[in-house]
DNA sequence: TAATTGCGTAAGTGATTGCTTACAAATATA
DNA sequence: TATATTTGTAAGCAATCACTTACGCAATTA
């Protein structure tokens, strides 16, 4: 059972869930209301998000509130950002190219 | 056939491939040499990376060289970075908390 | 021209995914 | 105490995934 952040965010529903609870802590039913699919389906998505550490649950009576663990998102950021130097370099090159074109016209 | 960047980078082998060709353009066989699995398996991974726009292929004779399209990586970056404000805020709160603790001891 | 090299693709397979419905447990309310 | 609410989990299922082996084709080299 591979459970890493990259696999967790691969599913569009799970990315939407993250989008929902990023701004406001919600319980499972409140999250499920935002989707067409069944509540157990959402429950299973939350489980995956919890298992990889992206979401943490705080139980309060019979409600289970979901909070994002943003440090985990930072893990993804770290992976992508190692390549930023490459794409910014390319953009720089493009800008130089464009400014040359502007001069020549 | 869902082919988006998030699903593409979900697989660890594909992330490794990206890591390989980020610094140096390689042909398919050169990429495959770095892995235990068969060449067709790598070929299929490259196909997925190409279909979602993360890799572009330049044919040169019988060699097909693979180049990363870094703008596509920027798409992932954009998604993660929208949440950065949340995790940096949390870090700020932690730092304040820690400095208070240091003072009280 | 014959052999080699670099590659895509088809078919097959077992594991995993993303859902469903059905059920049970625990907490809260009447 | 009986009922309603919030939830987890099991079983089942079709679709997809990540691989394999087997093959064919085009470009290069001998």
């Amino acid at each position: 059972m591979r459970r890493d952040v990259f696999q967790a965010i691969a599913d569009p529903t799970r990315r939407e869930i993250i989008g929902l609870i990023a701004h406001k802590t919600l319980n499972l039913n409140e999250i499920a209301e935002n989707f067409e699919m069944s509540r157990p389906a959402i429950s299973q998505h939350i489980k995956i998000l919890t298992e990889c550490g992206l979401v943490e649950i705080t139980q309060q009576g019979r409600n289970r509130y979901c909070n994002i663990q943003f440090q985990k998102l930072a893990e993804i950021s770290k992976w992508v950002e190692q390549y930023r130097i490459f794409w910014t370099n390319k953009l720089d090159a493009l800008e130089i190219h464009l400014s040359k074109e502007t001069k020549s016209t």
Side-chain angles (χ1 to χ4, degrees), chain A:
Chain A
M1 212 194 305
R2 176 161 51 89
R3 279 287 171 263
D4 61 87
V5 218
F6 291 97
Q7 190 241 355
I9 63 156
D11 185 87
T13 306
R14 288 197 286 270
R15 288 201 300 280
E16 258 194 83
I17 292 175
I18 290 171
L20 279 171
I21 60 178
H23 305 86
K24 195 164 176 281
T25 300
L26 299 171
N27 68 11
L28 201 133
N29 273 346
E30 287 166 340
I31 294 170
E33 278 168 17
N34 292 275
F35 297 90
E36 297 283 284
M37 70 190 72
S38 71
R39 187 199 42 81
I42 298 297
S43 183
Q44 282 156 20
H45 280 306
I46 302 275
K47 197 184 179 188
I48 289 166
L49 290 169
T50 312
E51 278 172 1
C52 78
L54 260 171
V55 163
E56 206 160 76
I57 288 171
T58 318
Q59 185 119 20
Q60 237 168 71
R62 63 189 167 192
N63 294 288
R64 314 186 98 217
Y65 292 103
C66 301
N67 308 287
I68 299 204
Q69 300 304 104
F70 289 104
Q71 324 88 282
K72 272 286 163 181
L73 278 181
E75 261 181 43
I76 305 161
S77 170
K78 203 180 160 189
W79 182 80
V80 187
E81 294 306 315
Q82 73 178 304
Y83 300 113
R84 177 177 287 276
I85 180 147
F86 296 109
W87 82 67
T88 47
N89 277 355
K90 281 217 171 179
L91 280 183
D92 287 350
L94 181 68
E95 275 161 24
I96 291 160
H97 174 70
L98 285 175
S99 72
K100 272 184 191 167
E101 276 211 319
T102 313
K103 277 175 194 167
S104 65
T105 36

